[in-house]
Amino acid sequence: MATAISANKAELLAIADSVAKEKLIDKAIVIEAMEDAIQRAAKNRYGVENDIRAKLDPVSGDLRLWRVVEVVEQVDDYFKQVDLKGAEKLQKGAKVGDFIVDPLPPIEFGRIQAQASKQIIFQKVRDAERERQYDEFKDRVNEIITGVVKRVEFGHVVVDLGRAEGVIRRDQQIPREVVRVGDRVRSVVLNVRRENRGPQIFLSRAHPEFMKKLFAQEVPEIYDGIIEIKAAARDPGSRAKIGVISHDGSIDPVGACVGMKGSRVQAVVQEMQGEKIDIIPWSPDTATFVVNALQPANVSRVVIDEEEDRIEVVVPDDQLSLAIGRRGQNVRLASQLTGKAIDILTEADASEKRQKEFVERSEMFQNELDVDETLAQLLVAEGFGALEEVAYVEIEELATIEGFDEDLAQELQNRAQEALERREEANREERRALGVEDALTTMPYLTEAMLVTLGKAGIKTLDDLADLATDELVEKKRAEPRRRGDDTPRKEPKGGILAEYGLSDEQGNEIIMAARAHWFADEEPAEAGEEDAIADSEQ
């Protein structure tokens, strides 16, 4: 077949090779783009209704152009169909149902057709190049990469990565670090997103992962998996903490990360613009890890509140400022490292808090159980802090308290149960006064006290409850650590309506699903009523 364009075979293949090498894409993609451009030009010449194909041989450079038609008994579409008589002229032995090839003569590219074809090829090559960039970098997330600063736009640094461009956004840069065009920078690949304008590669020098990868480069034991970085937290440009553990008992994880005369850690510090790094031994025991994380401060004791997911740390008076750190930096990093909210108290603060709780609980037992101060204080000293604990504990446990016997234990339990009933009745009356319907009392896990809380929040019917999401109902409150001397006004921490009652997500979900059950129950009678109405109308 004669070629369909003016360029000779060698030129076509040379163009395809050149573009493929320049853009680092498969030559077959460039060939396909050329074929598509020729097909479109031919359709413009012979009519877009035709099914025109073009094939460029990647070895010889031969170009074939043809039209595909279907053999039919009666022609309805003259552009894509041919009858048996016409088919015989194109291909002997053709039968109805066959698709045969109708060779087309060459076409000449005018200026407009040539420009359109050029745009088609450029677009396909550009799309292939973008896809190649995305495929190359999407699996390199959390890897360290080196590039050259290409330009700085509105505080964001654009980095030339060789085959693509990445960007270090302003919030992912180390504060006060100055970079100039032409500087070589190392960063971690934070995210790669496919967008219309091409793949967007987001880099970071401020993320904790950057520090972890730098240590992996400097410490062979981390790279080999002998030492593992279990947690990391950073205040970029100022201070950082990492928790490390060794899987080989003969290797000290902290010493290995520090290196001879601090050589290893100093290499990381220099790359991070002088950021001070605390290397901390990680421990599966939360209390031990918290104590380590607050280094260099000494800790007297740790109290863990599992329900609130908070940790109360008591330190000597002279260690308070060290534990908190400048502008709260030390405790904030320790909180990020452990994933727990940490409250710092001095011995005096802790003593005052314990004394206040002791007095409050004693007065509660005096009033609710109608006992004297000595007996109430004795209960608190033995670890009882709520009426429920007294009401439902084993009699033997109460009777073993010094000065108690079974009769006194039984009497205290009876009074505690009566006090709980009085509370329940008071809550029931308040709940009804708030207009919370009785149907909510049938929901699992909900007590009268919880229903009062719901009523105060405007949740008064099954529909109101059913409309809530699980987190709106039971999500725990999250608050920043509060430290002595910190009088900064704080917003009330957000949480679910029933956050104070310690319900789990599973329990919250069960409550909401139970509230929604009547929606589905209501649908069945409606459907049955519709069927009856249809039957009546048919009669």
Side-chain angles (χ1 to χ4, degrees):
M1 292 295 299
T3 58
I5 59 176
S6 57
N8 62 39
K9 302 175 184 179
E11 286 176 337
L12 287 175
L13 295 180
I15 291 170
D17 282 330
S18 174
V19 172
K21 289 178 182 178
E22 180 185 350
K23 301 298 184 181
L24 298 172
I25 60 177
D26 191 348
K27 178 182 174 182
I29 294 175
V30 183
I31 295 288
E32 183 184 340
M34 288 181 166
E35 291 172 348
D36 189 42
I38 294 168
Q39 285 174 195
R40 295 198 184 189
K43 283 188 176 183
N44 289 334
R45 169 67 176 80
Y46 295 111
V48 294
E49 300 87 354
N50 291 286
D51 184 5
I52 296 177
R53 312 286 177 86
K55 184 66 178 177
L56 179 63
D57 191 307
V59 178
S60 66
D62 288 334
L63 180 67
R64 293 173 53 227
L65 192 65
W66 70 89
R67 179 173 70 111
V68 176
V69 291
E70 182 184 6
V71 182
V72 295
E73 291 183 359
Q74 183 176 354
V75 177
D76 295 322
D77 184 348
Y78 287 95
F79 294 103
K80 297 180 181 178
Q81 295 176 340
V82 64
D83 57 19
L84 277 171
K85 185 178 179 181
E88 279 292 335
K89 296 178 182 178
L90 298 175
Q91 180 178 312
K92 290 185 178 182
K95 301 186 297 294
V96 173
D98 288 349
F99 287 88
I100 61 176
V101 172
D102 179 14
L104 296 175
I107 61 170
E108 291 295 331
F109 273 54
R111 184 179 60 83
I112 296 176
Q113 289 89 345
Q115 186 66 25
S117 298
K118 182 180 177 182
Q119 289 299 324
I120 292 169
I121 294 172
F122 279 0
Q123 182 61 46
K124 278 192 171 289
V125 169
R126 190 182 304 115
D127 291 343
E129 183 182 17
R130 288 174 174 175
E131 192 63 27
R132 189 267 305 161
Q133 290 175 351
Y134 178 78
D135 289 338
E136 179 179 346
F137 288 93
K138 68 181 175 63
D139 296 325
R140 299 184 66 181
V141 172
N142 290 337
E143 281 189 19
I144 290 279
I145 197 167
T146 303
V148 177
V149 177
K150 192 172 184 180
R151 60 185 182 276
V152 179
E153 298 176 342
F154 307 106
H156 306 310
V157 178
V158 179
V159 181
D160 184 356
L161 303 175
R163 299 183 179 182
E165 286 185 356
V167 61
I168 308 176
R169 294 180 299 186
R170 186 180 304 170
D171 60 339
Q172 294 300 326
Q173 298 168 26
I174 297 174
R176 296 178 296 280
E177 181 182 29
V178 179
V179 293
R180 297 178 177 84
V181 174
D183 288 351
R184 292 185 66 82
V185 294
R186 283 198 289 178
S187 53
V188 67
V189 180
L190 200 60
N191 189 19
V192 181
R193 290 207 303 259
R194 182 189 274 118
E195 296 185 3
N196 292 334
R197 56 183 175 173
Q200 298 298 300
I201 303 168
F202 296 101
L203 310 174
S204 175
R205 286 177 57 80
H207 198 276
E209 194 65 33
F210 179 59
M211 176 177 62
K212 291 166 69 173
K213 294 302 179 182
L214 288 175
F215 268 105
Q217 290 184 349
E218 298 295 335
V219 183
E221 291 86 349
I222 294 178
Y223 182 83
D224 294 336
I226 299 171
I227 294 174
E228 182 182 356
I229 300 177
K230 299 287 285 187
R234 287 182 67 188
D235 190 352
S238 178
R239 192 173 178 185
K241 291 178 183 282
I242 61 168
V244 294
I245 186 173
S246 174
H247 298 297
D248 184 339
S250 63
I251 297 178
D252 172 28
V254 175
C257 291
V258 172
M260 186 69 68
K261 296 182 180 179
S263 59
R264 291 175 172 177
V265 71
Q266 280 306 313
V268 178
V269 167
Q270 289 173 10
E271 179 64 38
M272 291 163 52
Q273 302 298 304
E275 194 170 309
K276 296 178 181 177
I277 304 174
D278 296 334
I279 303 173
I280 297 158
W282 184 85
S283 172
D285 178 63
T286 302
T288 303
F289 188 36
V290 168
V291 171
N292 294 340
L294 285 169
Q295 291 178 5
N298 295 320
V299 176
S300 300
R301 63 179 180 277
V302 175
V303 180
I304 300 176
D305 187 338
E306 297 288 356
E307 288 187 2
E308 295 293 331
D309 204 26
R310 301 182 70 85
I311 296 177
E312 187 178 281
V313 176
V314 180
V315 299
D317 290 5
D318 61 348
Q319 294 286 303
L320 179 62
S321 59
L322 192 60
I324 293 174
R326 184 181 180 185
R327 296 179 181 175
Q329 186 184 66
N330 193 52
V331 68
R332 184 172 64 253
L333 288 175
S335 181
Q336 292 174 12
L337 197 69
T338 59
K340 305 283 186 181
I342 299 176
D343 290 331
I344 303 291
L345 300 175
T346 63
E347 294 280 7
D349 291 334
S351 176
E352 182 182 340
K353 182 180 178 182
R354 288 198 306 273
Q355 185 62 31
K356 183 180 179 181
E357 288 178 351
F358 188 88
V359 171
E360 289 176 350
R361 291 174 179 176
S362 297
E363 290 178 349
M364 183 270 293
F365 282 136
Q366 279 183 261
N367 297 329
E368 297 288 357
L369 301 180
D370 192 21
V371 296
D372 59 28
E373 183 179 2
T374 302
L375 197 151
Q377 290 178 350
L378 191 55
L379 282 172
V380 177
E382 289 292 329
F384 291 93
L387 283 175
E388 289 81 2
E389 296 173 7
V390 177
Y392 303 115
V393 74
E394 294 293 333
I395 288 290
E396 293 76 13
E397 189 171 338
L398 275 174
T400 55
I401 298 175
E402 186 177 354
F404 281 30
D405 56 25
E406 285 195 7
D407 290 339
L408 178 56
Q410 186 63 61
E411 178 63 23
L412 287 175
Q413 264 206 344
N414 292 339
R415 292 187 183 185
Q417 290 170 2
E418 290 172 1
L420 288 173
E421 289 175 3
R422 288 196 299 272
R423 280 188 184 178
E424 190 78 354
E425 182 59 34
N427 285 327
R428 186 178 296 111
E429 291 178 3
E430 185 176 0
R431 186 259 300 171
R432 287 172 176 167
L434 287 168
V436 179
E437 63 181 24
D438 291 341
L440 268 66
T441 62
T442 63
M443 297 297 100
Y445 309 114
L446 293 185
T447 63
E448 291 289 352
M450 294 179 188
L451 293 175
V452 169
T453 303
L454 286 172
K456 290 178 179 178
I459 309 301
K460 301 181 180 181
T461 67
L462 281 177
D463 286 332
D464 292 340
L465 183 58
D467 283 335
L468 293 176
T470 302
D471 57 349
E472 292 177 306
L473 185 66
V474 299
E475 185 180 42
K476 293 181 180 178
K477 293 183 178 181
R478 304 287 181 184
E480 288 292 319
R482 182 174 288 279
R483 299 169 288 277
R484 193 181 74 169
D486 184 358
D487 298 325
T488 305
R490 297 168 185 262
K491 293 181 179 179
E492 181 67 22
K494 292 183 178 180
I497 299 171
L498 300 181
E500 62 185 288
Y501 296 98
L503 294 170
S504 67
D505 288 346
E506 291 76 14
Q507 290 172 325
N509 189 53
E510 191 175 338
I511 292 169
I512 291 173
M513 293 309 295
R516 292 175 180 174
H518 75 286
W519 289 351
F520 308 105
D522 288 346
E523 289 178 2
E524 294 177 4
E527 291 174 358
E530 290 172 2
E531 290 176 359
D532 292 341
I534 292 171
D536 291 342
S537 65
E538 289 177 348
Q539 292 175 359

